[in-house]
Amino acid sequence: MPAASDCIKMLDSETKAVETPEDHAEELRLWLRLLTCTTLIEGEVRGRLRQRFDVTLPRFDLMAQLDKAPDGMTLSDVSKRMMVSNGNVTGLVERLVESGHLDRRTSETDRRVQVIRLTKLGRAEFRRMAAEHETWIAALFADLTPKDVRELMRLLAKTKASAQKSAARRRP
Amino acid sequence: MPAASDCIKMLDSETKAVETPEDHAEELRLWLRLLTCTTLIEGEVRGRLRQRFDVTLPRFDLMAQLDKAPDGMTLSDVSKRMMVSNGNVTGLVERLVESGHLDRRTSETDRRVQVIRLTKLGRAEFRRMAAEHETWIAALFADLTPKDVRELMRLLAKTKASAQKSAARRRP
DNA sequence: CAAAATTGCTTTAAGCCTAAAATGATTTCC
DNA sequence: GGAAATCATTTTAGGCTTAAAGCAATTTTG
């Protein structure tokens, strides 16, 4: 019985627009599971950063971006990389400059642009946190074999590409 | 050269505590990719919910939980399911009761407990949104084959279990 | 039974986040 | 050269989020 109805559905979808709504329950379940995994790990990391270093996850993330860019980044760059809104970055940077972790200066060539860098203090603190952070992540993924990790990387790359394509179709 | 140092490292890790910090760059990259995928999809869903239905993602998520529980849930249940703080749920529920989507009543048997349900309006609106939501998710995952989906489900289940185990070790 | 602990929820303070509008600087294009 | 468009950032308004403290109601325990 299920096999038969499947066949009919497939035939329909190969010929013409299907009236019966397609079943996408599997994709939905996949999305919820993906979200659960991320929320779980993110919450754990957030809590540990607060406990151990009294720092928030967004601040850590921002410093991580800057650590990879010794020559600094513009706010727009950061915003794109972190996939958050522009206004969000403004506030985060404000607080991190205030606390002495970031250095912010206006570009010489374009007075619209702000370039931000880690200060010596900021870099030192970030490195200290990052080292520990890496062990937390390793522990959280500890039960995955190297093969699992590779396979997940591959499938998530495919997922990212698929999602980007779909998102781009609406925002060209 | 890299092979030799790998051997040394492996020997070390099989015999005694290693002085040299282990390399967990792969797990770190995996985590970042997982986070990217989730952020990407979540942002897309958030934007569409706002555009099409003028509703926020947290509200939609809360209604989704209640739609699966016709007899209602307590705030604690919701909080656990959604993996958010208690105080967060209080505010969300307040606004959804206000807008007529939720019904909230104090339990007969335990006056600490609040039971919330979808109203007729809430359920109708949610169903309408959920139907469309499902097609968005399907589109975002469209390039994955059924086999990819199955494999991702499996690996994410393993990831979730691993993360839960690791998280539980620190919060028993 | 009454003190102590737990449970369910709310409040508070601080910060995060978005979308949209506003501001100011730079380019583009007649 | 100057109007128009674009770009980088900030501001605004509203909502989300957390951790921690607080308040009742209930359960546990001596």
Side-chain angles (χ1 to χ4, degrees):
Chain A
M1 182 81 113
S5 68
D6 277 6
C7 280
I8 288 166
K9 211 182 270 173
M10 284 171 65
L11 267 174
D12 279 357
S13 70
E14 280 170 16
T15 51
K16 228 16 190 325
V18 185
E19 294 308 309
T20 59
E22 303 261 1
D23 175 35
H24 298 305
E26 285 310 303
E27 284 88 344
L28 202 50
R29 275 168 23 100
L30 175 56
W31 164 232
L32 292 179
R33 191 165 292 183
L34 186 64
L35 187 56
T36 297
C37 281
T38 300
T39 306
L40 188 60
I41 296 169
E42 194 172 324
E44 191 63 20
V45 170
R46 183 193 308 279
R48 298 202 197 198
L49 281 174
R50 167 175 292 272
Q51 268 202 339
R52 283 283 291 132
F53 303 111
D54 193 34
V55 76
T56 66
L57 183 53
R59 275 181 234 237
F60 178 80
D61 284 344
L62 176 39
M63 289 197 268
Q65 292 302 326
L66 289 177
D67 187 57
K68 291 187 284 194
D71 293 347
M73 300 174 79
T74 68
L75 297 202
S76 296
D77 288 344
V78 172
S79 162
K80 273 177 209 119
R81 282 297 191 87
M82 293 181 70
M83 299 200 281
V84 300
S85 64
N86 280 345
N88 189 356
V89 173
T90 296
L92 269 175
V93 168
E94 237 161 45
R95 287 180 284 271
L96 280 166
V97 168
E98 168 72 25
S99 63
H101 294 84
L102 257 56
D103 171 75
R104 159 213 251 160
R105 62 187 59 169
T106 302
S107 161
E108 300 284 336
T109 59
D110 186 338
R111 270 177 297 178
R112 289 170 305 179
V113 176
Q114 305 276 336
V115 178
I116 55 175
R117 286 174 176 71
L118 284 176
T119 60
K120 205 166 240 177
L121 169 73
R123 189 170 301 276
E125 287 208 7
F126 173 72
R127 291 282 167 88
R128 206 160 53 83
M129 295 190 289
E132 206 160 317
H133 173 263
E134 191 168 309
T135 69
W136 303 336
I137 299 300
L140 286 161
F141 285 97
D143 285 357
L144 299 193
T145 68
K147 187 182 161 195
D148 286 339
V149 173
R150 276 196 306 278
E151 191 63 2
L152 253 181
M153 285 288 281
R154 185 181 73 79
L155 288 167
L156 289 175
K158 202 167 171 182
T159 301
K160 180 178 166 187
S162 177
Q164 274 175 336
K165 196 166 87 176
S166 171
R169 235 192 305 279
R170 269 200 349 128
R171 226 171 297 160
Chain B
M1 182 81 115
S5 68
D6 276 5
C7 278
I8 288 168
K9 210 184 268 172
M10 283 173 67
L11 268 174
D12 280 357
S13 71
E14 279 170 14
T15 52
K16 225 18 187 324
V18 184
E19 294 310 309
T20 59
E22 304 260 2
D23 174 37
H24 298 306
E26 284 311 302
E27 284 88 343
L28 203 48
R29 277 169 21 97
L30 175 56
W31 164 232
L32 292 179
R33 189 163 292 181
L34 187 62
L35 188 56
T36 298
C37 282
T38 300
T39 306
L40 188 61
I41 295 168
E42 194 172 323
E44 190 63 18
V45 170
R46 182 193 310 280
R48 297 202 199 198
L49 280 174
R50 166 175 294 274
Q51 269 202 340
R52 281 284 291 131
F53 303 112
D54 192 36
V55 76
T56 65
L57 183 52
R59 275 181 233 234
F60 178 80
D61 284 345
L62 177 38
M63 288 197 270
Q65 292 302 327
L66 289 177
D67 187 57
K68 290 187 284 193
D71 293 347
M73 299 174 79
T74 68
L75 297 203
S76 295
D77 287 344
V78 172
S79 162
K80 274 177 208 118
R81 282 297 191 86
M82 292 180 72
M83 299 199 283
V84 299
S85 65
N86 279 346
N88 188 356
V89 173
T90 296
L92 269 176
V93 168
E94 236 160 46
R95 288 181 283 272
L96 280 167
V97 168
E98 170 71 26
S99 64
H101 294 84
L102 256 55
D103 170 75
R104 160 214 251 163
R105 61 187 61 170
T106 303
S107 160
E108 300 284 334
T109 60
D110 185 338
R111 269 175 300 178
R112 291 170 303 180
V113 177
Q114 304 276 337
V115 178
I116 53 176
R117 286 173 176 73
L118 286 176
T119 59
K120 203 165 240 178
L121 169 72
R123 188 170 302 276
E125 286 208 7
F126 173 73
R127 293 282 169 84
R128 205 160 52 84
M129 296 190 288
E132 206 159 317
H133 173 263
E134 190 168 310
T135 70
W136 302 337
I137 299 299
L140 286 161
F141 286 97
D143 286 356
L144 300 192
T145 67
K147 187 181 162 195
D148 287 338
V149 173
R150 275 197 306 277
E151 191 64 1
L152 253 182
M153 286 288 281
R154 185 182 72 78
L155 289 167
L156 289 175
K158 202 168 173 181
T159 300
K160 180 178 166 187
S162 177
Q164 275 175 335
K165 196 164 91 177
S166 171
R169 237 193 303 280
R170 275 200 348 125
R171 223 172 299 163

